[in-house]
Every structure is written in C-alpha cells, then in structure tokens.
Amino acid sequence: MPVITCIDDLKRLHKKRTPKMFYDYAESGSYTEQTFRENTSDFAQLRLRQKVAVDMSGRSTASTMIGEDVAMPVALAPVGLTGMQHADGEILAAKAAEKMGVPFTLSTMSICSIEDVAEHTTKPFWFQVYTLKDDDFMNRLFERARAAKCSAIVITVDLQIMGQRHKDLKNGLSAPPKLTPQSIANMMTKVQWGLGMLQTKRRFFGNIVGHAKGVSDPSSLSSWTAEAFDESLDWKRIAKFKEMWGGKVILKGVMDAEDARNALAVGADAIVVSNHGGRQLDGALSSIRALPSIVDAVGDKIEVHMDSGIRSGQDVLKALSLGAKGTYVGRAFVNGLGAMGEAGVTKSLEVIQKELITTMGLVGERTINDLGRHNLLIPKGFEGDWVD
Ligand code: GLV
C-alpha cells in the first residue's frame, strides 16, 4: 500500500484509477467553479489559535449528531454515482463508516440501492432524498427507507434544477458509462476499476431504475432531474415531506439565516449549511463563510451542520469552532473510495480523525464540546460586509 498521509494523496490515486468521467463528476463545481474553489480557499483564511501548557491528555473526538453517538462529528455526505467510482461503492463506504462509528448518508442517486446497503450493514444509515413532484415515488422511497431502518432523512433543498457542470457535458456523463471511442480508450487504462465493474451487477441507479415511472433516460442524471424535480417547491411542501416521513429530518442546502428560521419553523431536526459542494449556485458564498451568521440565527434552537470544502481534520475543527454541531465529507471519502475501495474510505476517515485529534491538542482542547470561536483567529470581515 502506498504511504498515504493526507486526503490529497488519495485524490491523486483516485484520479489515476477511476475513469475520467467519474473522477471529473466528483471534482467539479458548476459554471466558473468560483464557489467550489472558495469552499476550500476560505477555510484557509481562518487561522488556529495555538495554546501551550494546557493539559491535552485524554482527548476524544466523540460527540453526537441528531442524538446519535458518533466517533467524530464527521458524516459521509450523500454523493451521487458513488458506485461508479468503485464497484459497489456505496456498500463499501457504508461499511467503512459503520466500522469507524460515523453516519453514512445514502444518496437517492446512488448505484447500490437502499436495500443493498441495508443488507450489508448492521447499523441504521441516513437516506437523502430530493424534492420530487411525484408523491407516490416519494412515499415509496420513504417506505423503503423505513423498511431499511434508516434513522433519518436528509432532504436536499437546493437542487430542484441542476447547476451546469461543464465537464459532465463534455464527458457525456452517464451510469453505466456510454461506450464511445473516447470513454472506451479511457476505461481501458483503469484495469482494476473495470474488473470490479465486470464482477458486480450494480451498474445502474439502484433507487430509480425499476422504481420511478416515465423516466426517459434512466442512465442520465441531468435528464431525470429535469423531468422529476419540483420547480414549484416551497416550505409547505417541505413540511409535507416531513409529515410523510414521520421521523427525523435534516434539511441540506441552507445558506441564509431567513431560510434557517424557515427550516426551524417546519420542524427540521437539523440543517446543513451547504452550497452543494459548489455544484449548484456558482457565486454563492462558501459554506464556511455562511456558517457563523446561521449559527447566530438558529444555533441555540436547532442542530446546525455544515458541508462543502472539508478536506482535513483541521477544516472539521474550524467548522466546529464556528458553531457547527456536525460536518460532512463528500469528495474526501470519494477520493478514498476511488483510490482503494473500502480500505481507502477507512483511510480517509482515519486521516481526518488523526488530524482532528492532533489539532485539538495543539489548540488546547480535549473534547469536541469545548471547541469554540476562541480557538480561531478570524480575519476581520471574514463573513463579508455586504450591502443590505
Ligand atoms: C447531485 O446531487 C449532484 O450534485 O450531482
């Protein structure tokens, strides 16, 4: 096994071992990718306050998210097409998460189905849904998630229409990949990936194909989005989804204090401050810059989580110090998966946990709950001084 010291090492291997179409899908933002870039570069603007001669013995990253015990407050984010980064990708990632003691969130746009993941895990996972027009299909998804014993639903509220990712169009992204001279030539260089794919039957959108009616091209994520997603979504409908599900609900994709208050009003159990990894509204603030004002608005009444831009344990610590109760990694675990399957996901989580616990010690904290803004050096104007 190569020596892996950071998420970037896994990313390099992921790029080498996985077809370009799928690597690019993960490593894209929408349009100019400004928000995608700033999600990471804004983390670097925050500095950590070093403390010495503080007892750092007995440190722990253990915490809770929506009342569930977690080994560290870092969940696996829902990522579409994970089973195309590596054969049976969602099953492998869910198993790695379970062994680490962190939540796994299955995307509706996964390759392995809800039932597949439930069959291969023993602890409840979370299931992500989009806001679709078709109540029958939504109800069936909820029913399947209940049968699979999912302990929460993560509703994505920022994707009724899809931000364009240029690379996906250029690569002709689809699952399974369409065979063109270009895609065949590229896949021929990814031998391990190809062997894995030949050995699995899971090569289609497992929650959609055979379940959703009237899908014109079941291999294309963008055409399903255009046909099935509800452009008329409002808060009433989100409240209805909560009622239909009847269990814990996390609303993902909140970037604004007023929206956070609306999420609170519809009874969400948590919100995720997220700009969808910079894949939707290009030009939106980075999540880490949006986080403080949302924590200030609702953080004492509802759990505020965050995603978009986390690539290290130091990033996790910064988000927690700004008031997030939990964080999510998407690309960071997908890099591990594409690099080395389940062992790679485990590695990515181990890297982050080790960075987190080391950094906790160096800022003089022993528990997650003790982290706060006092651990950060926040540049003046970090949140932006915008005209009202
Ligand atoms: C799906 O949610 C995506 O961002 O591709």
Side-chain angles (χ1 to χ4, degrees):
M1 202 205 259
V3 179
I4 304 292
T5 57
C6 58
I7 296 298
D8 253 357
D9 286 344
L10 292 168
K11 184 170 153 182
R12 274 187 288 276
L13 284 175
H14 177 199
K15 184 168 188 182
K16 202 161 121 194
R17 296 181 178 172
T18 306
K20 178 172 165 33
M21 171 186 302
F22 301 119
Y23 175 82
D24 281 354
Y25 168 72
E27 200 49 36
S28 287
S30 56
Y31 303 103
T32 69
E33 301 192 331
Q34 178 189 15
T35 299
F36 170 59
R37 284 189 300 277
E38 289 180 358
N39 276 339
T40 48
S41 62
D42 283 349
F43 263 109
Q45 302 275 317
L46 294 170
R47 303 296 202 283
L48 297 169
R49 182 157 168 232
Q50 178 168 310
K51 292 293 286 174
V52 297
V54 179
D55 181 2
M56 61 165 87
S57 59
R59 292 183 313 287
S60 166
T61 59
S63 185
T64 59
M65 286 172 81
I66 57 162
E68 298 180 12
D69 288 332
V70 293
M72 61 176 166
V74 180
L76 272 58
V79 180
L81 280 80
T82 294
M84 282 288 136
Q85 304 289 356
H86 188 286
D88 301 334
E90 291 90 0
I91 292 174
L92 301 184
K95 285 167 79 166
E98 178 168 320
K99 286 180 200 154
M100 278 297 288
V102 297
F104 172 75
T105 319
L106 181 70
S107 164
T108 291
M109 287 193 197
S110 58
I111 303 300
C112 305
S113 67
I114 310 175
E115 294 77 13
D116 280 335
V117 174
E119 219 172 279
H120 290 86
T121 51
T122 60
K123 291 203 195 113
F125 56 96
W126 299 345
F127 182 60
Q128 172 270 343
V129 294
Y130 295 98
T131 47
L132 308 179
K133 285 186 260 200
D134 182 350
D135 270 6
D136 278 355
F137 184 56
M138 288 301 286
N139 263 322
R140 268 181 286 127
L141 278 181
F142 290 143
E143 241 172 73
R144 292 169 65 195
R146 267 191 290 274
K149 306 214 163 24
C150 292
S151 54
I153 285 287
V154 177
I155 306 181
T156 296
V157 292
D158 63 358
L159 197 148
Q160 297 100 275
I161 48 169
M162 207 157 180
Q164 179 173 301
R165 299 100 191 229
H166 299 326
K167 287 178 228 158
D168 293 350
L169 292 177
K170 294 195 166 98
N171 291 330
L173 176 75
S174 68
K178 294 210 167 71
L179 298 179
T180 64
Q182 206 186 7
S183 71
I184 293 170
N186 183 253
M187 282 189 284
M188 302 248 293
T189 65
K190 317 290 176 185
V191 180
Q192 280 302 110
W193 178 91
L195 288 174
M197 282 298 163
L198 285 174
Q199 282 161 30
T200 184
K201 56 184 189 318
R202 302 183 186 94
R203 292 192 285 262
F204 302 88
F205 288 107
N207 294 322
I208 302 166
V209 175
H211 295 279
K213 289 179 220 122
V215 183
S216 56
D217 180 0
S219 72
S220 162
L221 189 135
S222 53
S223 68
W224 184 60
T225 313
E227 286 160 19
F229 288 37
D230 183 5
E231 287 195 22
S232 66
L233 178 76
D234 57 16
W235 287 101
K236 264 205 220 128
R237 185 134 176 89
I238 293 174
K240 183 169 177 205
F241 290 139
K242 176 165 165 70
E243 206 183 295
M244 282 158 76
W245 163 244
K248 284 190 183 164
V249 165
I250 301 170
L251 294 185
K252 172 176 171 287
V254 174
M255 288 289 289
D256 178 87
E258 195 181 319
D259 284 346
R261 283 188 277 269
N262 286 326
L264 184 65
V266 297
D269 296 276
I271 53 171
V272 189
V273 176
S274 166
N275 53 36
H276 214 105
R279 301 162 70 77
Q280 285 294 98
L281 178 64
D282 188 36
L285 271 193
S286 65
S287 287
I288 193 67
R289 285 177 88 185
L291 179 63
S293 63
I294 295 180
V295 168
D296 291 344
V298 297
D300 54 340
K301 299 181 195 75
I302 189 172
E303 270 191 27
V304 178
H305 301 171
M306 84 80 73
D307 75 17
S308 304
I310 293 180
R311 305 287 188 274
S312 69
Q314 287 86 342
D315 293 342
V316 171
L317 185 136
K318 288 174 182 177
L320 299 176
S321 298
L322 279 185
K325 171 83 178 138
T327 63
Y328 297 72
V329 286
R331 294 180 181 92
F333 93 77
V334 165
N335 289 155
L337 179 73
M340 297 189 286
E342 182 181 338
V345 179
T346 301
K347 191 71 189 170
S348 70
L349 294 170
E350 284 172 354
V351 162
I352 289 172
Q353 190 175 36
K354 195 156 173 228
E355 290 167 341
L356 176 58
I357 201 153
T358 303
T359 309
M360 282 171 68
L362 296 174
V363 299
E365 302 294 358
R366 295 198 294 190
T367 70
I368 294 293
N369 272 346
D370 290 332
L371 294 168
R373 292 187 193 178
H374 61 277
N375 297 118
L376 300 177
L377 298 169
I378 305 171
K380 284 203 173 70
F382 178 66
E383 293 173 63
D385 190 8
W386 314 106
V387 174
D388 280 336

